[in-house]
Amino acid sequence: MTRLGVILAPMPSRPAPMLSEEQIARRVRELGAQITHDYADRALALVCVLKGSFVFAADLARAIELPLRVEFLGVRSYGAGTETSGVVQITQDLSHPIEHQHVLLVEDIIDTGLTVAYLMDLFRTRGPATVRVCALLHKPSRARAQVPIDYLGFTIEDRFVVGYGLDVGGLYRNLPYIGVIEGS
Ligand code: IMP
Ligand code: MG
């Protein structure tokens, strides 16, 4: 089935599991411990890239033991489909300046890398002390922009995944595990 076919087909009610709740929870704890160790008591601004990262960022924030602020940035690069448009649109900007701060950009998934590349360029213009990237998932086979991923949950094959914040056409964000959309 083509990627377009995937979105036109009826939604399966239970996408096939790729990563279980337990696997995700264990990895998020490990990432939190690593970040806590690396920043060594420095204050951190966690930037949650909406909407897909809201579940991951909520769990990750609670696994980090640092003086932490959480900021939200709304981004859109997809229409209703499963292919990125390649054009990144900011739908909601940060509500506080990030100048002189240590910023950790939290992404649900890095696919082509275009979104994170765009955001890194944008953030650098705002004078933060440092900017690093933490992504739950990475699909290296589809990279179109090289982006540094400082903290990574899992590398996955090129399938369209949903759940734990990730959606297709706005649905499945509330699935507690990461599942695969059939035929993708
Ligand atoms: P990129 O700009 O191609 O790296 O795409 C990044 C964004 O595309 C992610 O933050 C997701 O919102 C979305 N995305 C990419 N692959 C998937 C997927 O398999 N499932 C759900 N969303 C995805
Ligand atoms: Mg996203």
Side-chain angles (χ1 to χ4, degrees):
M1 197 186 290
T2 62
R3 277 175 184 264
L4 185 62
V6 169
I7 55 164
L8 297 177
M11 295 284 177
S13 52
R14 295 286 296 175
M18 176 186 271
L19 295 166
S20 69
E21 285 184 68
E22 292 72 23
Q23 281 175 293
I24 298 168
R26 199 177 317 123
R27 192 71 190 113
V28 170
R29 277 196 299 273
E30 289 170 0
L31 290 172
Q34 184 69 52
I35 291 164
T36 302
H37 171 266
D38 290 355
Y39 283 87
D41 289 334
R42 279 179 294 221
L44 188 63
L46 203 72
V47 174
C48 169
V49 183
L50 297 173
K51 297 178 187 170
S53 303
F54 80 106
V55 178
F56 176 42
D59 285 345
L60 183 67
R62 286 175 288 178
I64 295 174
E65 293 175 40
L66 294 169
L68 190 87
R69 289 188 19 204
V70 182
E71 288 290 327
F72 298 95
L73 182 74
V75 161
R76 183 184 313 151
S77 61
Y78 277 40
T82 62
E83 281 289 346
T84 180
S85 65
V87 178
V88 182
Q89 188 187 346
I90 303 283
T91 57
Q92 181 189 315
D93 206 342
L94 301 175
S95 58
H96 289 86
I98 53 170
E99 197 175 6
H100 306 313
Q101 295 186 28
H102 296 288
V103 173
L104 185 61
L105 200 60
V106 179
E107 257 290 24
D108 50 358
I109 182 164
I110 297 182
D111 184 22
T112 62
L114 294 172
T115 305
V116 167
Y118 176 86
L119 295 179
M120 294 290 280
D121 286 349
L122 175 72
F123 279 22
R124 283 199 195 97
T125 66
R126 298 183 178 186
T130 60
V131 185
R132 289 186 185 166
V133 175
C134 177
L136 179 66
L137 305 173
H138 182 213
K139 285 187 206 168
S141 59
R142 287 176 38 91
R144 281 166 62 186
Q146 284 309 316
V147 287
I149 309 176
D150 302 282
Y151 303 97
L152 176 64
F154 304 92
T155 298
I156 61 167
E157 57 183 305
D158 182 16
R159 307 287 302 279
F160 200 84
V161 291
V162 293
Y164 199 69
L166 291 108
D167 74 305
V168 61
L171 296 176
Y172 292 119
R173 295 194 196 276
N174 56 332
L175 202 68
Y177 62 93
I178 304 258
V180 182
I181 289 294
E182 212 176 301
S184 71

